[in-house]
């Protein structure tokens, strides 16, 4: 197994945006030893690090695979355009995030496909790894590639570049896959054995059946977890309290894909929250599911969590609370520490149209909830609508949305924001046959709604997903096997990161479609047409979907899923049942955490070093990593007051990216526990810091009043060595502050002076300097404190 030496490319990594995406050094919980394993694999989220590391499926699969004996699973992500250019120019093969293993040398490469627009990033990952893009060109030297996830239930568009697509939940099949890869060594043997698994799809397979993780509700604590090394898009703990949803909305693919709904027990939810707070260091926790309000006893668990964690500034968010499951008590609970957003997914304005979707969102209910929320301090509300839904009328729709929101505004005067998306019909749903709105019509319609609303409601923010991007997603979501060629061509033309509006290249996609004369399925199918994904069963029968389609046409609703279900869709039978936690209780007392801290805070100065992978960590991320490490180490730091409490921490004269530090200083106030000493606090923190950060010592300075280190800083000392750029030497020779000793330069700066501005001036790029030499800050000098 070849391993990449990141330090060899320090200069190059300092030239790309967010080098922490590529340089590793994360904090690991339950890290496995690479050398003690016989099968090397990686789970890839085909998008950027900050998206992938926020993804719950990636967290689950990473833990799942590493739980299997003999398996080492690492993370992998797509790279940004600047890094792709740098990788290609420097012939750097793609490598895994933590161990920097060459991806080409892996046994297994899994792709978690959360949305179709990640398809070209799958090709980028294969290409940068030196793996042939087409499966038929691969050899024993290439890893087995398997995709899976909600956006791959129509696997045909991925058929050209993935060996298999796993239909269903990763927990219900991954071990079987890995055991086969451990038992068989050649590509041919592995492919033949894997073809026998009924949840793995490959071109020409007669029938593939979705794998369901029936034991979801029993899932407990994670054994293997990696805390991202930089702030990620969803930078919070994520506790999946329920999988699936009882409501069966007809436009919703996830509702069919994750059937039947299964709920976690209250105590397991509580324990996983505690793990995210104590073991991983998160203070923002999302209790997530497709419909959180349908989780019974939500108020009970919220009460227990707020009672035990709010004093530690831990806040909880409950996304996707449906209007009909909203309760004021829940509202009260989620506003204890910090008010999370108030969102209403209305989808379409008229009750009859809502019934076609098998949903009901009553205007009066929305208004009364907002009025109650306003009385408890909420100031704004978000609304979601969709356009292009079947059995609706575009002309009436605009006025309907305007009337609905104007009425809400007239009564509540709440600040409003609205997001409208173009409906994208998905495979395996009751609407898999319907046409998708053409982008040019959609755009005109969305712009008209925006203008109309902004005339009616003062200050309303209206945003919409670009209908062109929805068109590309729609082309792939119901594409046939020949859609692979469209994706390949789009990739060769330069398409990447298509889920990012700043990166998507619509015209190149259209060129690819036209050049291949590809017939999209955007205009839908008749009910009798064969569908490209007919050989794939999510266990919901096609007959049931047709019945739901007919009911939608007549605006007839279907009852929610329940153990007493009267309208069997085909999923619940034998060992597969809905799992409701309706009747269980939470022995609240049992969970009380009894750590007592001193009542008065003590000033503390941590002297620490920042080297290795940590030099690629920006100041903002250094603060974040210390904040989470202090929490993991159970060191109780004093927080600011106010709306969004934060730990009071002062990092003295923060280092620039690429510069190491031997004796950096952090000042904060801590509430000591009984028996706390400088040594045990420093060692507790050291066992919880991410790679490259190390506390040298801790001192309790005798500060009587509010003090800042900046006010007593007198200077700093740097050393520069291994200089590759003669211009740097010229500047050092010209500087009175620099002195050459042996093979290195020592620079002593007064006060808070910045090294780059003071010695090298503005005309030299500081990342170039840091990249073409080794710069280390030896120490920061402060007055009046003995360290
Ligand atoms: S069988 Fe009934 S309860 Fe089970 S998933 Fe289908 S509709 Fe829901």
């Amino acid at each position: 197994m070849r391993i990449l030496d990141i330090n060899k490319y320090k200069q190059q990594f300092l030239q790309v945006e967010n080098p922490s995406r590529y340089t590793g050094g994360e904090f690991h919980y339950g890290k496995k030893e690479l050398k003690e394993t016989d099968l090397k694999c990686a789970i890839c989220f085909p998008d950027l690090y900050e998206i992938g590391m926020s993804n719950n499926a990636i967290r689950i699969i990473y833990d799942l695979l590493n739980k299997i004996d003999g398996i080492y699973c690492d993370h992998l992500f797509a790279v940004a355009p600047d890094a792709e250019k740098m990788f290609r120019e420097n012939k750097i093969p793609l490598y895994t995030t933590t161990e920097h293993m060459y991806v080409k040398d892996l046994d297994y490469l899994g792709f978690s496909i959360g949305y179709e627009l990640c398809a070209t990033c799958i090709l980028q990952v294969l290409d940068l790894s030196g793996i042939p893009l087409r499966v038929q060109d691969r050899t024993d030297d290439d890893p087995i590639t398997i995709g899976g996830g909600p956006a791959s239930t129509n696997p045909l568009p991925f058929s050209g570049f993935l060996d298999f697509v796993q239909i269903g939940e990763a927990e219900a099949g991954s071990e079987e896959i890995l055991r086969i890869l451990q038992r068989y060594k050649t590509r041919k043997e592995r492919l033949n054995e894997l073809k026998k698994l009924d949840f793995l799809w490959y071109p020409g397979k007669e029938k593939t059946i979705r794998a369901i993780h029936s034991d979801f509700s029993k899932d407990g604590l994670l054994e293997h977890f990696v805390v991202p090394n930089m702030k990620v898009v969803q930078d919070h703990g994520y506790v999946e309290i329920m999988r699936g949803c009882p409501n069966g909305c007809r436009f919703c693919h996830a509702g069919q894909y994750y059937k039947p709904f299964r709920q976690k027990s209250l105590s397991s939810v509580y324990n996983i929250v505690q793990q995210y707070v104590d073991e991983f260091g998160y203070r923002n926790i999302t209790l997530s599911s497709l419909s959180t309000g349908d989780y019974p006893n939500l108020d009970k668990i919220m009460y227990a969590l707020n009672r035990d964690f709010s004093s530690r500034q831990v806040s909880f968010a409950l996304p996707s609370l449906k209007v009909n499951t909203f309760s004021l008590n829940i509202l009260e609970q989620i506003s204890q520490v910090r008010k999370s957003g108030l969102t209403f997914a209305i989808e379409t304005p008229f009750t009859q149209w809502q019934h076609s979707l098998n949903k009901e969102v009553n205007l009066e209910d929305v208004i009364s909830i907002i009025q109650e929320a306003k009385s408890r301090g909420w100031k704004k509300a978000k609304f979601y609508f969709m356009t292009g839904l079947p059995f609706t009328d575009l002309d009436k729709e605009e006025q309907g949305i305007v009337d609905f929101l104007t009425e809400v505004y007239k009564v509540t005067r709440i600040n409003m924001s609205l997001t409208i998306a173009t409906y994208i019909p998905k495979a395996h749903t009751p609407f898999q046959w319907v046409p998708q709105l053409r982008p040019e019509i959609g755009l005109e319609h969305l712009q008209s709604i925006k203008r109309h609303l902004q005339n009616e409601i003062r200050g309303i923010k209206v945003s919409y997903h670009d209908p062109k991007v929805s068109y590309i997603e729609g082309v792939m979501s119901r594409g046939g096997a020949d859609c692979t060629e469209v994706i390949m061509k789009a990739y060769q033309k330069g398409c990447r990161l298509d889920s990012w509006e700043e990166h998507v290249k619509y015209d190149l996609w259209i060129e690819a479609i036209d050049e291949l004369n590809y017939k999209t399925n955007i205009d839908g199918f008749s009910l009798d047409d064969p569908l490209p994904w007919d050989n794939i069963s999510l266990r919901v029968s096609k007959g049931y979907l047709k019945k739901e389609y007919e009911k939608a046409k007549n605006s007839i609703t279907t009852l929610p899923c329940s153990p007493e279900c009267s309208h069997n869709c085909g999923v619940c039978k034998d060992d597969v049942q809905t799992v409701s936690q309706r009747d269980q209780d939470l022995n609240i007392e049992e969970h009380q955490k009894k750590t007592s801290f001193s009542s008065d805070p003590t000033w503390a100065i941590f002297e620490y070093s920042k080297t290795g992978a940590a030099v690629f960590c920006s100041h903002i991320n250094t603060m974040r990593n210390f904040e989470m490490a202090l929490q993991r180490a159970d060191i109780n730091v004093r927080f600011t007051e106010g709306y969004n409490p934060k730990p009071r921490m002062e990092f003295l004269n923060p280092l620039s990216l690429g510069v190491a530090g031997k004796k950096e200083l952090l000042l904060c106030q801590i509430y000591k526990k009984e028996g706390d000493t400088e040594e045990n606090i420093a060692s507790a923190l050291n066992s919880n810091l991410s790679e490259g950060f190390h506390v040298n010592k801790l001192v309790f300075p005798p500060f009587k009043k509010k003090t800042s280190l900046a006010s007593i800083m007198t200077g700093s000392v740097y050393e520069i060595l291994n200089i590759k750029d003669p211009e740097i030497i010229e500047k050092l020779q010209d500087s009175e502050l620099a002195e050459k000793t042996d093979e290195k330069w020592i620079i002593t700066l007064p006060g808070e002076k910045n090294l780059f501005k003071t010695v090298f001036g503005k005309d030299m790029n500081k990342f170039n300097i840091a990249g073409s030499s080794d710069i280390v800050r030896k120490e920061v000098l402060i007055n009046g404190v003995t360290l």
Side-chain angles (χ1 to χ4, degrees), residues 175-190:
E175 179 148 4
E176 272 176 283
I177 293 170
L178 276 294
R179 291 292 179 220
I180 287 171
L181 298 177
Q182 277 178 315
R183 205 168 317 128
Y184 301 91
K185 295 305 170 208
T186 68
R187 180 173 173 77
K188 192 155 174 281
E189 290 170 317
R190 286 173 165 179

Side-chain angles (χ1 to χ4, degrees), residues 19 36 86 127 285 288 297 309 352 409 643 651 720 722:
E36 289 159 12
M86 185 273 276
D127 199 9
I285 308 286
S288 89
N297 305 309
F309 292 100
Q352 184 199 349
Y409 183 71
Y643 178 71
F651 288 81
I720 304 185
N722 305 330

Side-chain angles (χ1 to χ4, degrees), residues 259-260 561-562 565 567-569 571-572 578:
K259 273 180 171 179
C561 293
S562 71
C565 170
H567 48 270
N568 198 314
C569 69
V571 168
C572 294
T578 59

Side-chain angles (χ1 to χ4, degrees), residues 311-541:
S311 63
R312 299 165 65 193
Q313 310 305 337
V314 176
S315 69
F316 298 93
L318 300 174
S320 64
L321 274 175
K322 285 196 166 39
V323 169
N324 55 2
T325 58
F326 230 107
S327 84
L328 301 173
N329 182 13
I330 296 290
L331 207 56
E332 190 63 54
Q333 291 292 349
I334 52 178
S335 63
Q336 292 257 336
V337 173
R338 205 147 48 84
K339 288 187 177 41
S340 53
L342 205 54
T343 57
F344 298 92
I346 315 292
E347 320 298 5
T348 192
F350 303 113
T351 307
Q352 184 199 349
W353 295 359
Q354 290 173 358
H355 287 178
S356 290
L357 306 182
N358 200 31
K359 184 172 180 158
E360 180 156 337
V361 187
N362 192 299
L363 175 60
E364 291 66 36
D365 292 350
V366 172
I367 289 174
S368 69
I369 289 170
I370 292 175
Q371 285 174 314
E372 197 54 46
K374 273 194 81 178
S375 69
R376 294 160 190 252
W378 262 267
K379 294 190 173 38
K380 54 186 179 184
K382 268 193 205 153
F383 295 85
Y384 291 91
F385 279 82
M386 275 194 280
T387 185
L389 286 159
F391 316 118
T392 61
D393 172 320
L394 277 191
D395 300 331
K396 283 199 197 127
E397 182 182 77
E398 173 172 334
Q399 195 56 49
I401 292 175
V402 173
D403 293 348
F404 190 104
L405 294 175
T406 310
E407 186 57 25
V408 172
Y409 183 71
K410 214 167 58 199
V411 180
T412 67
R413 294 285 168 202
I414 190 121
N415 290 336
M416 286 183 165
S417 68
L418 164 69
T419 299
I420 315 178
T422 303
Y423 173 58
I424 305 169
K426 299 278 175 165
H428 306 287
T429 65
F431 292 162
Q432 61 187 354
W433 294 279
V434 305
Q436 178 175 337
L437 195 61
R438 291 261 163 199
E440 52 287 355
I441 302 169
L443 186 60
E444 201 186 310
H445 181 57
L446 291 166
Q447 288 167 337
S448 167
I449 292 174
K450 183 171 181 173
R451 276 192 305 277
H452 195 161
L453 273 169
Q454 286 175 334
N455 292 343
E456 296 292 330
I457 302 174
R458 210 154 45 80
I460 188 170
K461 289 192 193 63
V462 180
S463 63
Y464 48 79
H465 295 187
D466 181 344
K468 290 179 179 171
V469 179
S470 305
Y471 176 80
I472 298 169
E473 183 176 335
V475 166
M476 286 191 271
S477 74
R478 295 188 293 173
D482 46 359
C483 188
T484 281
E485 298 312 319
V486 173
I487 299 169
M488 288 273 192
K489 192 169 272 289
Y491 173 73
Q492 276 133 14
K493 284 178 178 291
C495 294
R496 312 274 190 284
L497 298 169
D498 299 299
S499 61
W500 298 69
E501 289 208 5
E502 66 265 42
H503 293 302
V504 64
K505 299 183 181 71
Y506 177 73
D507 301 341
L508 295 182
W509 276 94
I510 298 305
E511 266 180 37
I513 290 169
D514 294 347
E515 285 169 19
L516 290 163
N517 200 14
Y518 174 71
K519 182 185 166 319
T520 74
N521 295 320
I522 280 292
D523 298 326
F525 306 86
S526 83
L527 286 190
D528 307 322
D529 281 349
L531 299 171
W533 47 87
D534 272 346
N535 298 349
I536 291 112
S537 161
L538 298 194
R539 299 186 189 224
V540 178
S541 71

Side-chain angles (χ1 to χ4, degrees), residues 516-637:
L516 290 163
N517 200 14
Y518 174 71
K519 182 185 166 319
T520 74
N521 295 320
I522 280 292
D523 298 326
F525 306 86
S526 83
L527 286 190
D528 307 322
D529 281 349
L531 299 171
W533 47 87
D534 272 346
N535 298 349
I536 291 112
S537 161
L538 298 194
R539 299 186 189 224
V540 178
S541 71
K542 197 170 181 181
Y544 175 83
L545 295 176
K546 279 188 179 165
K547 244 191 280 160
E548 283 292 298
Y549 174 87
E550 294 303 334
K551 287 172 98 173
K553 212 156 52 178
N554 304 302
S555 299
I556 300 168
T557 57
T558 297
L559 289 173
C561 293
S562 71
E564 306 77 32
C565 170
S566 57
H567 48 270
N568 198 314
C569 69
V571 168
C572 294
K573 50 174 169 271
D574 315 333
D575 59 344
V576 176
Q577 294 298 336
T578 59
V579 180
S580 166
Q581 301 281 358
R582 245 191 319 237
D583 314 319
Q584 46 115 26
D585 201 350
L586 172 71
N587 179 350
I588 294 187
E589 305 332 304
E590 186 187 316
H591 290 288
Q592 291 279 357
K593 195 169 186 301
K594 294 206 178 21
T595 311
S596 58
F597 293 94
S598 60
S599 54
D600 297 325
T602 306
W603 286 103
I605 298 179
F606 290 91
E607 184 200 273
Y608 66 95
S609 60
K610 183 185 183 196
T611 58
V615 300
F616 296 107
C617 213
S618 69
H619 171 55
I620 297 290
N621 289 319
T622 298
M623 288 198 337
R624 173 189 168 280
N625 293 1
F626 263 89
E627 185 187 324
M628 296 180 84
L630 286 158
Q631 178 157 315
R632 290 190 291 264
D634 201 15
I635 298 169
N636 194 352
V637 178

Side-chain angles (χ1 to χ4, degrees), residues 19 74 89 156 283 375 386 525 542 615 631 656 670 706:
D74 203 336
E89 283 167 0
L156 283 80
R283 275 193 311 109
S375 69
M386 275 194 280
F525 306 86
K542 197 170 181 181
V615 300
Q631 178 157 315
S656 298
I670 60 175
K706 188 167 183 329

